[in-house]
Amino acid sequence: MTQSISATGGDAIQAIFGRPKALIGMIHCPPFPGSPRYRGESMEAIYETCLRDAEALVSNGMHGLMVENHGDIPFSKPEDIGPETTGFLAVVADRLRRRFDVPLGVNVLANAPIPAFAVARAADAAFIRVNQWANAYVANEGFMEGRAAEAMRYRSLLRAEGIRVFADAHVKHGSHAITADRTVGELTRDLEFFDADAVIATGQRTGDSATTDEIEAVAAATALPVLVGSGVTPENVAAILGPADAVIVASSLKEGGVWWNPVDPDRVRAFVEAARPATGD
């Protein structure tokens, strides 16, 4: 795949990770105060849980980290996310970046690029993930619009042009009936047109893999780097890193393969070893 220079400048994967193929491990934060599943745990205990997962990922070979408020189920729509979520996540991100010498990304659920930019700017993170950057779809949370225009103006306000945007081409956990007359390739080109720096292909739900056809359709439609953001396992990672430039991995690295469990160091080592033919490590 021929890669383009994004609006931010350069190939985002090479620029951020210093390599053409990257393995990004996900930190799923426990529920934060203010969310329904929070049960009174101390903030220090929450932060330490995130740091332990990060240690298991980085010390066993992952090239980067991404952190998100996945414990805050059910997720709020962007306009309903309270300042406490941004504050707690910023502290987590700052502690991760200070302890681990790998690139860090931020995702604020659901579909909240403005809080994500705020967290990334506060913690000096390298990129954000945005599930719906352009167009619209019907999500678990309801009608969800792309917020690229508003978010990019906010990034300019923060003087944070160096923070890259990784955007999903066909976001999971929802219906795309609104854009059913548009191909995945067309939706992918919309992301590039709206100044995303990399495009993510995903499966239908957390832990589900994107199909080979969808990955190839996304890659064929853009010169931007392509990531696969769900369903990557030791069994398929080498094949996925043929058309894709990076993977974001969570569930398959957790104990029992369940997203809410702690990261399993043995699973991380097995995953990194399986990816070696593609990453060259």
Side-chain angles (χ1 to χ4, degrees):
M1 181 176 60
T2 301
Q3 293 177 334
S4 73
I5 296 177
S6 71
T8 310
D11 165 21
I13 298 300
Q14 184 67 48
I16 292 172
F17 298 93
R19 56 189 306 119
K21 303 284 184 178
L23 310 177
I24 305 168
M26 174 64 73
I27 307 296
H28 285 145
C29 295
F32 288 139
S35 66
R37 297 190 183 188
Y38 176 67
R39 295 294 181 267
E41 297 85 354
S42 72
M43 290 313 304
E44 201 59 36
I46 290 173
Y47 299 148
E48 284 302 316
T49 295
C50 298
L51 291 169
R52 283 196 300 271
D53 276 355
E55 177 65 35
L57 293 165
V58 174
S59 65
N60 289 292
M62 300 299 284
H63 304 132
L65 299 170
M66 189 162 72
V67 61
E68 69 180 16
N69 58 319
H70 208 312
D72 289 351
I73 299 170
F75 304 126
S76 296
K77 295 179 74 172
E79 59 270 22
D80 297 324
I81 293 172
E84 69 281 356
T85 301
T86 306
F88 298 138
L89 196 56
V91 174
V92 173
D94 181 68
R95 293 195 182 195
L96 290 169
R97 190 196 58 77
R98 290 176 183 275
R99 184 174 298 189
F100 302 102
D101 188 24
V102 297
L104 176 66
V106 176
N107 187 22
V108 180
L109 299 166
N111 203 54
I114 288 177
F117 271 133
V119 171
R121 186 72 166 102
D124 200 22
F127 65 96
I128 67 169
R129 179 179 184 175
V130 186
N131 302 104
Q132 189 72 19
W133 184 243
N135 296 300
Y137 82 122
V138 180
N140 299 153
E141 299 82 18
F143 183 69
M144 200 69 78
E145 293 185 85
R147 309 187 73 179
E150 182 184 9
M152 292 300 262
R153 285 163 175 76
Y154 183 68
R155 187 178 74 169
S156 294
L157 179 67
L158 295 182
R159 302 302 301 269
E161 290 83 358
I163 299 173
R164 311 295 183 111
V165 175
F166 291 9
D168 288 56
H170 204 222
V171 64
K172 58 193 175 186
H173 294 292
S175 167
H176 298 271
I178 297 169
T179 55
D181 59 336
R182 311 282 312 290
T183 66
V184 171
E186 289 172 331
L187 296 174
T188 299
R189 286 188 286 274
D190 290 343
L191 300 178
E192 187 169 345
F193 182 58
F194 273 14
D195 288 344
D197 297 288
V199 180
I200 302 171
T202 69
Q204 180 57 35
R205 302 186 64 80
T206 297
D208 288 354
S209 177
T211 65
T212 300
D213 288 347
E214 183 157 327
I215 297 168
E216 291 177 349
V218 169
T222 183
L224 295 174
V226 173
L227 300 86
V228 173
S230 67
V232 187
T233 68
E235 291 72 30
N236 64 19
V237 61
I240 284 174
L241 283 172
D245 303 286
V247 293
I248 301 169
V249 198
S251 300
S252 68
L253 304 183
K254 302 294 189 73
E255 292 178 1
V258 179
W259 72 261
W260 57 79
N261 284 343
V263 171
D264 182 339
D266 291 337
R267 282 177 171 258
V268 180
R269 285 190 289 271
F271 182 87
V272 171
E273 182 62 30
R276 215 174 288 280
T279 62
D281 291 338

